[in-house]
Structure formats: structure tokens, C-alpha cells
């Protein structure tokens, strides 16, 4: 049984959890406790020395949270994972573990707005510089565009597998090859496809981050994040002393030497999560896991509904343009098909006439909700330029793939005929 490679539908339900040893409970218990009793003083010492695995305090680890970590690691085909209070916290955990003052990051320009702010503004306060790459230039490949931005002090390459809301598909394999040729890890935000549609680690990425708030949780109820480590990156290539030298933050542990292929996760947990404290609550981990159990089913339906919406919009006279890489005539459709099982529920379009009719469309929706989340059961609509990407100037917005007239839709799980009805009546209202 142990050597069987289970399918994602099975992993989504079982990975990381067996019936509770103490009570026999089949569903995952919520271990709503801050702390865990030591067997003895020696046991406590061994736990603190990282010589034995076990729980000490829920800011570091918790059994309910661990089930989520193991399940997402299994779905991503990763070696280990660390959960966090939100997707932003997962990104911060990966970057703050990896980087120090004087380092440089090469990042895709087309990213979630909060991530652009973290990279361009927040990391700058710690002396870390970021170059943004336009991964949509027609004159160079994505690999060439990323390679050109790498410097001697670059320590990470960062991108989204499927950009929110730009929907730019990253050529993960090609960009991973570039990163590795320079001795750098590739970090991928895989929030939009979710681990059911795309596994960046299998394509060469080294670290994956998720906003579990979106499709993993799936019901618009709970914030959370997860960072997954692939376990294949050679941290002893001379560029990452924090992985190989004794840790000043955790009594001299050499994380790579001691923990090998899960050394980065251990370091993220013991040096970053433990110190900055953005831990996920057990209650939230449990709620996210409820969502994860149905992730494969939901993603199939999100993709099917979104494709129908994209095809409807393509032929609608009120619509100026549609961006959904699941459409066969999309310029990145072949790349998407090579890397992903589907294009997710996210799509973007422009209402003819620009911003004003776009806003009218949003305000005329009947059950589609005007808000800034994605990956909910409900269909959600928003205007990124005035909301999620509002903090960026117009050049940054364009570089993030945000056009002034862009309407973003996260297509939900309602009946597709009803979604098309609501879109049609809102488009009619926008034209009036
Ligand atoms: N990454 C992507 C692609 C996102 O869309 C978001 C949120 O919208 C985040 C990260 C941040 O996640 P959270 O809101 O859970 O902090």
C-alpha cells in the first residue's frame, strides 16, 4: 500500500490523516490548544534541540495544522509544507527565510497586487531589491526575459503559475531551467490553478506558495496560506549561507546538513514562523481541509463553467475583449495545456466603452458578488484597477496585466445557465 502513488482525488481526502489514535475519530479533530505537555524534562530538551519530532506550542506546529500541511504537500508532490495565517504570510515566510539585506529578486511583473507591494515596497525596507520582468514581451521568450534580469546578488526567482488577474501563463519549466543555471530557486505562487490543476514542483520549481483562502478552502470563509518545499534544491551551492552555516536564530543548527531535503521548511518554521508569528489557527486549518477534500470536484466544475462564460463573452456584442487561457484560440493555450489540467475559474474581460460601462456591469449583477476574493463557490466580480491593484501606479498596473477597463470574474459553482443569465442582464444594463 505504501508504494502506491495515489491520485489527487484520493490524496485530497486522505493524505496527512489517519483515524485519531486517542479517540478513533475518523474526521480530523480540531486540536484547539496553544501548548502540548512534555513527557519529561528530557523529552522537552529533545524537542527544543530538534532531536525528536513533536508539538511544543501551536505557533510552531499543531496536529490539525499539520494535517493540512501534509495534505497540500502531497497534492503538490512536495517534500514538506508549512502553513501560515494567510497567503501573504506564506509568501513572506518563503521570502524572509531565503533573503537578507543586499539580496536581489527577479520577479514576474504580472502578479497579485499585494505581492507587488510586498516585493517593491516592503522588502525594500529590509535592503532587498526586486527587478520586475515583463513575461509577455513578444520579442523575447520568458526564459530570456528572466535570464536578462539576473544579477550576481540575485537569490530567488518569483512568479505566479497563472497570474491574478493577468492570467499570464508562466513557462515554469523554461524559467526553472534559467533559475537553476544561475544556482537560484524558483518560487511559484500556485494559488490560481490550485494543486489540482498544476504541480509546479514537477515542472522544476523549488518552492510553491498558496493563498489557501482561495480554491483550497474554496468557500470564501477562511484565510490561510501554505508554503511547500520540493526538496531537490542544492542549498550548499555557496549562495545560501543561512541554509548551511550554524543558525544564530536557532542555537547553531545547520538546517541543510541536519534536515536535508526538508531543511528549508524546517528553517522557515523555526526561524521565520516562530519569530514573526503568522501561524494558522487549528480552526482555520480544519475549515480549509473541509474544502480541500472536494478540491478536485470543484476545480473541474469551476473550469467547465468558466470556459462556458468565456465562450459566451467572446460572442457577446457588448464585450471588447476576453482573456481566458482555456479558450483554444488563446495565444498561451498550448503552454497551458502542457502544464495544467485546466485554466481555473478566473477570467477577465473588457466591457465595450471602457471603465464606466464596466462599473455599470458590476453594479447591475444580481447574484454575482462585487468583492475582491477569488476561488469561492459563488461567482465573484471586481474591477482590479480600482481595488486589488489600486496601490499601484498606472505603469505598475499595466505591468501587472491590469487594464483600466478590466473586469475580473471568478466563476463559481452555480448552474452555468444562471451565471450566463446574470452576465447577460448585467451587460444589457451596462449598455443602457
Ligand atoms: N497570491 C494570490 C495569487 C492571490 O490572489 C492572493 C489574494 O488575493 C494572495 C496571494 C494573498 O493571499 P491572502 O489574501 O490569503 O493573504
Amino acid at each position: 500500500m505504501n508504494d502506491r502513488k495515489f491520485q489527487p482525488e484520493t490524496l485530497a481526502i486522505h493524505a496527512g490523516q489517519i483515524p485519531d489514535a486517542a479517540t478513533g475519530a475518523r474526521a480530523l479533530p480540531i486540536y484547539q490548544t496553544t501548548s502540548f505537555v512534555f513527557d519529561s524534562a528530557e523529552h522537552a530538551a529533545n524537542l527544543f534541540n530538534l532531536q525528536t519530532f513533536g508539538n511544543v506550542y501551536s505557533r510552531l506546529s499543531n496536529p490539525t495544522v499539520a494535517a493540512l500541511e501534509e495534505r497540500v504537500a502531497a497534492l503538490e508532490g512536495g517534500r514538506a509544507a508549512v502553513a501560515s495565517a494567510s497567503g501573504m504570510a506564506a509568501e513572506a515566510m518563503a521570502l524572509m527565510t531565503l533573503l537578507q539585506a543586499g539580496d536581489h529578486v527577479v520577479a514576474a511583473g504580472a502578479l497579485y497586487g499585494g505581492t507587488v507591494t510586498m516585493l517593491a515596497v516592503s522588502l525594500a525596507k529590509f535592503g532587498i531589491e526586486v527587478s520586475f520582468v515583463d513575461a509577455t514581451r513578444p520579442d523575447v521568450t520568458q526564459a530570456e526575459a528572466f535570464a536578462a534580469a539576473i544579477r550576481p546578488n540575485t537569490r530567488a526567482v518569483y512568479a505566479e503559475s497563472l497570474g491574478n488577474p493577468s492570467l499570464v501563463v508562466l513557462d515554469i519549466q523554461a524559467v526553472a531551467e534559467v533559475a537553476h543555471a544561475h544556482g537560484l530557486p524558483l518560487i511559484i505562487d500556485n494559488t490560481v490553478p490550485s494543486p489540482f490543476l498544476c504541480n509546479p514542483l514537477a515542472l522544476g520549481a523549488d518552492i510553491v506558495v498558496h493563498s489557501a483562502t482561495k480554491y483550497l478552502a474554496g468557500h470564501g470563509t477562511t484565510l490561510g496560506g501554505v508554503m511547500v518545499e520540493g526538496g531537490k534544491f542544492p542549498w550548499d551551492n555557496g549562495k545560501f549561507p543561512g541554509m548551511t552555516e550554524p543558525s544564530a536564530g536557532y542555537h547553531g543548527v545547520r538546517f541543510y546538513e541536519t534536515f536535508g531535503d526538508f531543511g528549508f521548511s524546517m528553517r522557515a518554521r523555526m526561524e521565520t514562523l516562530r519569530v514573526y508569528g503568522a501561524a494558522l489557527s487549528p480552526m482555520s486549518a480544519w475549515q480549509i481541509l473541509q474544502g480541500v477534500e472536494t478540491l478536485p470536484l470543484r476545480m473541474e466544475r469551476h473550469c467547465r463553467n468558466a470556459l462556458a462564460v468565456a465562450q459566451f463573452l467572446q460572442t457577446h456584442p457588448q464585450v471588447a475583449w476576453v482573456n481566458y487561457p482555456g479558450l483554444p484560440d488563446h495565444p498561451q493555450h498550448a503552454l497551458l495545456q502542457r502544464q495544467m489540467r485546466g485554466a481555473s475559474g478566473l477570467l477577465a474581460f473588457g466591457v465595450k466603452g471602457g471603465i464606466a460601462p464596466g462599473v455599470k456591469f458590476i453594479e447591475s449583477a444580481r447574484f454575482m458578488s462585487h468583492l475582491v476574493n477569488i476561488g469561492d463557490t459563488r461567482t465573484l466580480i471586481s474591477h482590479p484597477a480600482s481595488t486589488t491593484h489600486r496601490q499601484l501606479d498606472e505603469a505598475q498596473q499595466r505591468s501587472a496585466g491590469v487594464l483600466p477597463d478590466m473586469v475580473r470574474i471568478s466563476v463559481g459553482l452555480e448552474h452555468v445557465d444562471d451565471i450566463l443569465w446574470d452576465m447577460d442582464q448585467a451587460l444589457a444594463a451596462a449598455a443602457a
Side-chain angles (χ1 to χ4, degrees), residues 305-393:
N305 281 357
L307 181 61
V309 170
Q311 285 166 336
F312 165 82
L313 290 172
Q314 252 188 335
T315 56
H316 198 287
Q318 287 305 117
V319 172
W321 55 269
V322 183
N323 183 10
Y324 184 64
L327 287 168
D329 59 358
H330 189 281
Q332 289 196 297
H333 185 66
L335 175 62
L336 180 104
Q337 283 200 306
R338 216 166 66 224
Q339 299 190 144
M340 300 185 199
R341 289 171 192 247
S344 89
L346 203 61
L347 62 88
F349 75 101
V351 183
K352 267 191 192 154
I355 298 176
V359 169
K360 189 92 187 288
F361 165 84
I362 286 175
E363 289 180 340
S364 307
R366 300 284 278 275
F367 68 77
M368 297 188 294
S369 306
H370 179 197
L371 54 79
V372 294
N373 195 23
I374 60 168
D376 195 330
T377 52
R378 288 153 274 259
T379 296
L380 314 174
I381 50 178
S382 72
H383 180 235
S386 64
T387 55
T388 46
H389 291 66
R390 190 184 183 88
Q391 270 69 40
L392 313 185
D393 60 34

Side-chain angles (χ1 to χ4, degrees), residues 197 298-308 324 342-345:
L197 298 180
R298 287 186 289 105
M299 291 316 291
E300 281 171 5
R301 183 61 65 89
H302 279 297
C303 291
R304 206 201 309 165
N305 281 357
L307 181 61
Y324 184 64
S344 89

Side-chain angles (χ1 to χ4, degrees), residues 86-89 91 112 115 160 164 189 191-192 211-214 223-224 372-374:
S86 69
M88 293 307 293
E91 294 176 34
Y112 165 61
T115 305
E160 291 175 7
N164 173 20
D189 181 336
T191 298
V192 173
S211 167
T213 315
K214 318 298 186 207
L223 283 167
V372 294
N373 195 23
I374 60 168

